[in-house]
Amino acid sequence: MLSTTDRIEILQLHARYCACLDTGDAQGWARCFTVDGEFGVCNMHRGRDRLAVHCADVVARRRANPWDNVQHWNGNIIVEGGAGRDHAMSYPATLGRQRDSGAQAIVANGWYRDTLAQEDGAWKLSSRRIAFETPASVIIPQRC
Amino acid sequence: MLSIEDRFAIQDLYARYCACMDTGDIKGWAGSWTEDGVFDSFQYHDGRAKIEEYGWGFMQRLLQKKWTNGQHWNNNLIVEGGGDTASALCYLMVIGKMRDSGEMKIVIQGWYADELEKENGQWKFKARRVAFDTPSPAVIPKRA
């Protein structure tokens, strides 16, 4: 069973993940993962060093997007588990400002499916998979 | 006065409600209500069994919408109460992917006004009313 402190720290991890990604802090984003953590859609990037390279690449490629001022928002965070390891899901939505019109828009949304683990006393993502199409309901963590 | 644990459990109820609806787990979605719960969605659905029946019909009607991949997002959750009951208010936004253009759009926004009750140790909706137009300030839960 997760403690209240665990739940607050996991929410902080979700927020820090977005802030690092949106401000271009590739090292900080990679530190949201365990040393052997993984991230991806189908092809997974594994290990914190590779994750940092991947994030820096994503940030660099943003210049080609028709929007800037990107912001990742999280919602519907569900976390279950305990004993130092747990499972979570959440909704991400990406907001951006169109370079041509200045209009704000939702430029992407999806589903995160996570495994979290404590590493050196801090909650980290050991795995994060993103889906852009509605997944099956098995993604929802079972109540402990 | 609600405990921090109660507040986390209530947030979890709101997140699960959205995740169940959006992934098509209508049984799980109807399980967000107490056995005798009511859902006022411009039609009155009385009891978990009738709410589930409504949910299956809603899923069928979604197939006719101009969007797919719907995601219910909640925000500005205000909860007041104590013991085994509480009143709550939250904002609702539904994001969908347009079938023709693939663009993400906000397709619904609204308000949920809720009465909550603990049933077998779990927080559930005793009554949920949805509104798509700005309601009166009377929906804002009074501070406990």
Side-chain angles (χ1 to χ4, degrees):
Chain A
M1 189 81 170
L2 292 166
S3 70
T4 301
T5 303
D6 285 330
R7 289 189 177 278
I8 291 169
E9 286 181 0
I10 289 168
L11 291 176
Q12 287 287 292
L13 172 67
H14 279 76
R16 187 171 292 279
Y17 173 100
C18 295
C20 288
L21 184 54
D22 296 335
T23 61
D25 179 1
Q27 293 294 334
W29 180 80
R31 281 196 298 274
C32 293
F33 291 83
T34 56
V35 169
D36 60 351
E38 61 175 16
F39 170 81
V41 182
C42 297
N43 298 319
M44 303 299 281
H45 303 271
R46 289 199 177 83
R48 193 179 286 159
D49 292 342
R50 287 186 186 172
L51 288 169
V53 171
H54 167 69
C55 183
D57 183 47
V58 166
V59 170
R61 279 189 281 121
R62 272 185 200 152
R63 292 186 205 108
N65 287 338
W67 62 83
D68 61 7
N69 274 34
V70 65
Q71 282 189 335
H72 285 72
W73 287 62
N74 282 322
N76 294 330
I77 299 170
I78 301 173
V79 191
E80 293 289 347
R85 194 166 190 86
D86 65 359
H87 299 275
M89 64 150 288
S90 60
Y91 289 17
T94 310
L95 310 187
R97 186 177 61 187
Q98 301 296 328
R99 292 185 202 275
D100 53 358
S101 66
Q104 316 293 335
I106 300 163
V107 295
N109 70 332
W111 306 73
Y112 284 139
R113 185 177 195 178
D114 303 327
T115 306
L116 297 106
Q118 278 185 315
E119 186 180 75
D120 300 327
W123 281 102
K124 307 268 182 178
L125 294 159
S126 55
S127 176
R128 165 159 278 189
R129 289 175 183 270
I130 182 165
F132 295 109
E133 301 292 329
T134 304
S137 60
V138 292
I139 175 177
I140 304 170
Q142 299 286 308
R143 280 202 171 92
C144 288
Chain B
M1 193 81 167
L2 292 167
S3 68
I4 300 292
E5 288 75 13
D6 281 328
R7 290 189 176 275
F8 271 118
I10 289 168
Q11 283 189 352
D12 185 74
L13 169 68
Y14 279 76
R16 285 179 182 278
Y17 173 98
C18 297
C20 286
M21 167 56 78
D22 296 334
T23 60
D25 178 6
I26 295 304
K27 197 162 192 68
W29 173 78
S32 303
W33 275 268
T34 57
E35 192 66 44
D36 62 350
V38 296
F39 184 30
D40 181 354
S41 65
F42 311 105
Q43 298 166 306
Y44 202 70
H45 312 284
D46 193 352
R48 192 183 289 158
K50 286 185 185 167
I51 291 169
E52 183 178 337
E53 191 181 325
Y54 164 76
W56 288 115
F58 181 83
M59 293 302 289
Q60 285 302 309
R61 289 194 298 280
L62 274 183
L63 301 174
Q64 312 302 320
K65 300 284 186 190
K66 291 179 180 171
W67 71 84
T68 182
N69 277 43
Q71 283 190 332
H72 287 65
W73 288 64
N74 289 155
N75 196 11
N76 293 336
L77 174 61
I78 302 173
V79 191
E80 294 287 352
D84 289 345
T85 61
S87 300
L89 174 73
C90 74
Y91 288 23
L92 161 70
M93 167 177 76
V94 181
I95 297 174
K97 183 165 79 175
M98 306 313 289
R99 292 183 198 273
D100 53 0
S101 65
E103 279 182 298
M104 310 300 168
K105 287 197 173 166
I106 298 167
V107 293
I108 295 173
Q109 70 182 113
W111 309 69
Y112 284 128
D114 301 320
E115 295 302 323
L116 305 164
E117 191 174 283
K118 256 186 190 175
E119 184 183 72
N120 300 324
Q122 278 190 355
W123 284 100
K124 307 265 183 179
F125 297 117
K126 176 82 172 171
R128 159 155 277 203
R129 191 174 69 246
V130 63
F132 296 134
D133 292 307
T134 307
S136 88
V139 298
I140 304 171
K142 296 272 188 292
R143 285 185 194 277

